Amino acid sequence: MKIIDIIKKEKIYGIIRQDDPEVAYETARAYLEGGIKILELNCPIEVTKKVSILKDAIVSQGGIITTVQAHKALENGAKIISSPIFQTNLTRFASCYSTFLIPTATTPNEAYNAWRARMPLVKIYPVDEMGGVDYIKDMVKPMPFLGLLPCGNVKLEEIREYIKAGAVAVGVGRELYDKGSYNEIVNAVKNAVEMVR
């Protein structure tokens, strides 16, 4: 199954931002145990290497802005490259290495240009500051062909609303990993996964 099809099926794109490698690794394990398979890691690269070999894990390396970083991510087991920007160097890299790239856009124009560059999924960030669910609705209405991944302070109770609004999947981070203990994160993830099933 292609990565885009897995993302469409799973609907939740789990994000982890953590500088402490051990905490990041345990958070990733909690996500997987709770049922989130696609994990964007904005963490030290050694975490990517450890998480990528866990059962069912599909690792997206976040924060990539150069091809050097992209190479390193792939060498350490990442299957997806996620960038906070949209630029041609990374689209060329993704094409050459048959790698799934998720660029980021803020405006409809940027999202459209990413689609024209054959990006099947575009992260919309920061979605909450741009208008949340209504912003996605307004963007999808004239361009239903866009594959959008809203991210940025998404609340758990909003996940279903974003999907109904036309998002392919939803990026959720702090709302899950700020829950506290390992078991609390697992339970929060399970609840989130249940919402979209």
Side-chain angles (χ1 to χ4, degrees):
M1 190 181 283
K2 291 180 179 177
I3 285 176
I4 185 61
D5 294 325
I6 296 170
I7 293 172
K8 283 178 179 177
K9 180 175 178 281
E10 295 297 316
K11 293 191 172 34
I12 297 181
Y13 177 87
I15 300 169
I16 301 170
R17 295 184 193 281
Q18 177 57 250
D19 292 329
D20 185 314
E22 195 52 46
V23 173
Y25 178 70
E26 287 304 309
T27 304
R29 284 185 57 243
Y31 276 29
L32 289 164
E33 187 175 328
I36 292 178
K37 296 178 183 176
I38 301 155
L39 313 171
E40 179 182 296
L41 303 178
N42 294 274
C43 312
I45 198 70
E46 63 262 33
V47 181
T48 300
K49 193 167 189 173
K50 284 177 71 178
V51 173
S52 67
I53 60 173
L54 293 175
K55 187 176 182 293
D56 294 329
I58 300 171
V59 174
S60 172
Q61 185 66 44
I64 301 294
I65 57 173
T66 68
T67 55
V68 172
Q69 291 173 319
H71 269 294
K72 197 168 183 183
L74 296 186
E75 287 167 1
N76 283 276
K79 296 285 185 258
I80 302 169
I81 300 299
S82 176
S83 178
I85 55 176
F86 168 59
Q87 58 147 312
T88 52
N89 275 358
L90 287 177
T91 58
R92 281 198 292 265
F93 175 92
S95 178
C96 288
Y97 288 89
S98 299
T99 300
F100 195 86
L101 169 66
I102 304 175
T104 295
T106 302
T107 67
N109 193 52
E110 290 169 350
Y112 177 73
N113 286 335
W115 176 80
R116 292 260 332 250
R118 301 186 177 182
M119 299 291 103
L121 190 65
V122 182
K123 188 185 286 188
I124 302 299
Y125 177 88
V127 73
D128 61 324
E129 292 183 25
M130 300 306 293
V133 174
D134 287 338
Y135 190 63
I136 296 300
K137 272 184 195 168
D138 291 343
M139 198 180 288
V140 168
K141 194 169 184 180
M143 298 186 286
F145 46 81
L146 294 178
L148 302 182
L149 175 68
C151 299
N153 200 29
V154 172
K155 304 291 185 284
L156 297 183
E157 61 271 17
E158 295 173 328
I159 295 172
R160 260 194 302 219
E161 292 175 52
Y162 276 110
I163 300 297
K164 283 181 186 172
V168 165
V170 183
V172 188
R174 196 169 284 111
E175 277 282 297
L176 295 171
Y177 63 75
D178 270 359
K179 296 300 178 187
S181 71
Y182 180 92
N183 287 336
E184 286 169 324
I185 295 171
V186 171
N187 288 332
V189 170
K190 282 181 178 175
N191 290 336
V193 169
E194 192 61 36
M195 285 181 199
V196 298
R197 291 287 152 86

